[in-house]
Amino acid sequence: MTIVPVSRRTFIKSSTAVTAGLVLSPAIIGRAEAATLKLKCSSSLPNDPKFANGRVYYDNLVKNLKGNGLGEQVEVAFFPDNQLGQEIDVINSVKLGVIDLMVSGSSISANLVPLVGTYDLGFLFSSFPQQTKAFDAGAAKPIEDALLKGSNIRIIAWAYNFGSRSVFAKKPVKTPEDLAGLKIRTLPNPVITECLRLMGAAATPLAFGEIYTALQAGVLDGLEHDPPTILASKFFETAKFYALTQHNFSPLAVYFSDMTFNRMDPKLREGFLDAAKKAAVDTRTHGLAVEKEALTALTEKGVTVAECDREAFKKRVAPQTENFIKARPESKAVIDIIRSTQA
């Protein structure tokens, strides 16, 4: 296990040199099977082994690599807490092959390939188990293919964010009217931003690493995220009301640079990809268990967790999906599979 604190400037400088060396010497990778393959894995979340999905996935990946006999052949260095930059910068670095792995929601890659935004449509999924069944039924492959074709990024495994996304704010929110005028942080993603706007909020796109200080300064009135992330990131220090809108069951994607994929020895690659998928299954199990625990912990820290008029929010967001299909007809097949899949 390698968890590395590093400045972004140092990382970029060293990565540029490594990338240049690979371009000049493409045969260097894989010529000696005994050589250790070193990979970099990024997450925007804190280095929390229980409530942060990036760290949990990383620990499971290391465990499964060892279980597949690759513990000495593949070394994965983990960079949590935006150490390598904000997510939009990191996903572009994965595209370029500067960073090998990234653990994040599917939403961030919609900035590169808009079709991925299908998964961000409000109230599309009913639960995470339903999401897995829909993906297994064919709702994942068109998105994976589009991302690979459009950005040279592979999704090598799907896990869960640790709970559905709900609204966390400085005042109680029970109805769309309560959200009116509240500056609620959303991912820098047009689909999620539109979802929150339709729900009634003054949707405010902002990088994850800037949320805490924005809440402190009053630039934001709240955010939408899952319970463990709110707990791990200590957002409860700045706001105290959590409305269970459950408007989005955001898939957790394990992004892998296609450049890294292609330079791996095929035998090593097979074992690595198997370990990556096993780690995702382990992370799903952990995520389902830890959501309730995080809600309890938030309550103990003074947060009011409350039900809301979810049907009222859902009704207001309903036109979003039909408008998305009109703009991107290729999304209809994916949406139809999801809608027809029961948990």
Side-chain angles (χ1 to χ4, degrees):
M1 178 185 294
T2 305
I3 301 174
V4 186
V6 65
S7 72
R8 190 180 175 206
R9 179 179 296 178
T10 300
F11 167 74
I12 292 173
K13 183 177 179 181
S14 62
S15 295
T16 301
V18 171
T19 304
L22 290 176
V23 172
L24 292 172
S25 306
I28 195 169
I29 299 299
R31 70 183 183 188
E33 291 186 2
T36 300
L37 177 64
K38 296 184 178 183
L39 305 176
K40 299 180 181 70
C41 178
S42 176
S43 170
S44 66
L45 299 189
N47 190 29
D48 187 317
K50 184 174 187 178
F51 292 115
N53 55 49
R55 172 63 192 276
V56 171
Y57 179 80
Y58 169 75
D59 288 344
N60 284 324
L61 177 60
V62 170
K63 177 189 72 175
N64 282 288
L65 285 171
K66 290 179 179 177
N68 282 3
L70 299 178
E72 300 299 320
Q73 297 181 59
V74 181
E75 179 182 322
V76 184
F78 183 55
F79 298 85
D81 208 16
N82 290 304
Q83 287 183 12
L84 304 184
Q86 300 297 340
E87 286 188 306
I88 190 63
D89 300 317
V90 173
I91 195 75
N92 276 291
S93 292
V94 175
K95 176 180 178 179
L96 297 172
V98 177
I99 296 173
D100 307 289
L101 280 160
M102 178 185 185
V103 182
S104 182
S106 62
S107 307
I108 194 64
S109 59
N111 291 285
L112 301 180
V113 177
L115 183 63
V116 185
T118 304
Y119 296 154
D120 296 321
L121 292 166
F123 301 96
L124 178 64
F125 297 103
S126 61
S127 69
F128 281 118
Q130 183 253 350
Q131 180 184 101
T132 294
K133 288 185 178 180
F135 282 9
D136 290 343
K141 192 174 187 306
I143 303 296
E144 294 170 356
D145 291 347
L147 189 63
L148 178 59
K149 181 179 179 180
S151 67
N152 297 317
I153 296 173
R154 292 176 178 269
I155 294 178
I156 57 172
W158 292 101
Y160 302 150
N161 275 288
F162 290 177
S164 56
R165 299 178 81 97
S166 289
V167 174
F168 189 68
K170 295 182 179 181
K171 59 169 282 189
V173 173
K174 292 186 178 181
T175 67
E177 289 71 27
D178 294 329
L179 261 184
L182 293 188
K183 298 185 291 294
I184 302 298
R185 180 268 178 179
T186 72
L187 280 157
N189 172 301
V191 180
I192 288 185
T193 300
E194 176 69 0
C195 175
L196 267 292
R197 187 192 66 78
L198 290 170
M199 287 171 66
T204 307
L206 193 69
F208 186 87
E210 300 173 15
I211 297 174
Y212 190 95
T213 54
L215 287 166
Q216 276 187 319
V219 175
L220 293 176
D221 297 310
L223 67 145
E224 49 90 44
H225 225 301
D226 59 76
T229 298
I230 289 170
L231 183 64
S233 302
K234 299 185 178 180
F235 295 140
F236 57 83
E237 296 176 348
T238 63
K240 294 296 182 182
F241 297 95
Y242 198 35
L244 298 177
T245 55
Q246 296 181 316
H247 53 272
N248 187 293
F249 289 84
S250 177
L252 185 70
V254 182
Y255 299 108
F256 193 51
S257 170
D258 192 46
M259 291 181 67
T260 305
F261 177 91
N262 288 321
R263 67 182 171 87
M264 292 180 76
D265 177 89
K267 292 182 180 179
L268 186 65
R269 181 198 299 153
E270 182 179 350
F272 173 81
L273 295 178
D274 179 70
K277 288 178 171 58
K278 289 176 180 175
V281 173
D282 294 340
T283 303
R284 289 178 199 165
T285 302
H286 179 96
L288 289 175
V290 84
E291 179 182 13
K292 292 182 180 179
E293 190 173 343
L295 283 171
T296 299
L298 286 171
T299 301
E300 292 171 351
K301 293 183 181 297
V303 173
T304 299
V305 179
E307 299 291 336
C308 62
D309 190 348
R310 193 165 178 267
E311 285 304 313
F313 287 112
K314 187 175 181 180
K315 184 177 180 180
R316 289 187 59 153
V317 174
Q320 183 185 38
T321 298
E322 300 312 314
N323 290 335
F324 190 87
I325 291 173
K326 289 178 183 177
R328 304 193 181 282
E330 66 272 29
S331 68
K332 186 178 186 303
V334 174
I335 292 169
D336 286 346
I337 292 172
I338 293 170
R339 284 176 164 173
S340 66
T341 303
Q342 301 299 315

